[in-house]
Amino acid sequence: MGALKILVIPASLRTGSLNAKLAAVAAHQFAQSGVEVTRLSLADYPLPIYDGDLQTRSGVPKNAVDLKRMIGTHHGVLIVTPEYNSSVPALLKNAIDWVSRVQDTHESRGEVFRDRAFAVAGASHGRLGASRALAALRLILSACHALVIPNQLALAFADEAYDDRDRLKHPPDIEAMAAMVRQLIDISQRLM
């Protein structure tokens, strides 16, 4: 059995994003746990807005195929999302919509979601810590038949959550991160 591989996907492209910062903290935590971790940017996989007619005319875009294959090379996936209007950003929803359409030879459509564990986390300036976006993301991933682990991290008041070295500083946040990381590792190992 090879090394456990975890993919971390921040669903924000904004400069100084609290969610990209949280993704970096999580990636470091996974690495500290001895896991092979990859952090990507959705900016490296630009996609048109999902349109069934476009898919019929042109097929699934290469970037969707590449993103699906990147997910497929990992045993577990952590998605770190901001909250836009009580839900996930269009960037993330669109990526999931396209990836769910990729079907490689000898597999069913959306198989990449069923073959690995997913974790969700989010950060916001407010007291709910992107929790509504996390609920929406769980629903979206569940519709793709993904196994989403129970533990998650909803980082509230994220602009005040880090120390001067960009590490989480509040014990409840540190504990929630550690529990999520441990659970994703444990479940991903069982699925290997």
Side-chain angles (χ1 to χ4, degrees):
M1 178 182 335
L4 182 69
K5 296 164 83 173
I6 300 292
L7 180 63
V8 177
I9 304 173
S12 176
L13 304 180
R14 190 175 58 79
T15 302
S17 165
L18 296 170
N19 286 278
K21 186 185 272 193
L22 185 59
V25 170
H28 179 74
Q29 183 89 30
F30 282 116
Q32 292 294 102
S33 299
V35 171
E36 188 176 318
V37 63
T38 306
R39 188 168 43 135
L40 63 75
S41 172
L42 290 176
D44 295 331
Y45 300 89
L47 293 164
I49 297 297
Y50 179 76
D51 175 345
D53 290 339
L54 175 63
Q55 181 182 354
T56 299
R57 276 192 315 274
S58 308
V60 176
K62 181 182 182 312
N63 283 335
V65 174
D66 291 346
L67 180 57
K68 179 263 180 191
R69 290 184 179 154
M70 174 62 83
I71 293 168
T73 63
H74 292 79
H75 304 102
V77 179
L78 168 62
I79 300 174
V80 184
T81 185
E83 182 172 293
Y84 293 178
N85 298 317
S86 300
S87 191
V88 298
L91 172 73
L92 177 58
K93 178 66 166 78
N94 191 55
I96 292 170
D97 288 345
W98 274 116
V99 167
S100 73
R101 283 5 185 234
V102 179
Q103 184 175 354
D104 284 326
T105 308
H106 306 299
E107 72 177 23
S108 58
R109 195 176 91 188
E111 190 170 310
V112 73
F113 292 102
R114 292 186 296 276
D115 289 347
R116 61 210 22 85
F118 285 77
V120 297
S124 75
H125 291 281
R127 72 178 185 281
L128 297 179
S131 60
R132 293 170 296 200
L134 298 182
L137 181 54
R138 278 183 180 280
L139 183 63
I140 293 163
L141 291 171
S142 295
C144 294
H145 304 288
L147 169 62
V148 184
I149 68 168
N151 285 336
Q152 66 181 27
L153 176 56
L155 186 64
F157 307 111
D159 51 329
E160 302 166 7
Y162 299 94
D163 64 18
D164 58 355
R165 294 173 61 194
D166 284 340
R167 297 177 304 193
L168 293 174
K169 65 182 181 183
H170 303 299
D173 298 334
I174 294 167
E175 290 165 17
M177 172 69 78
M180 181 189 66
V181 165
R182 270 193 316 273
Q183 190 172 61
L184 184 58
I185 289 171
D186 291 346
I187 293 174
S188 296
Q189 284 175 327
R190 280 187 251 146
L191 294 174
M192 287 177 71

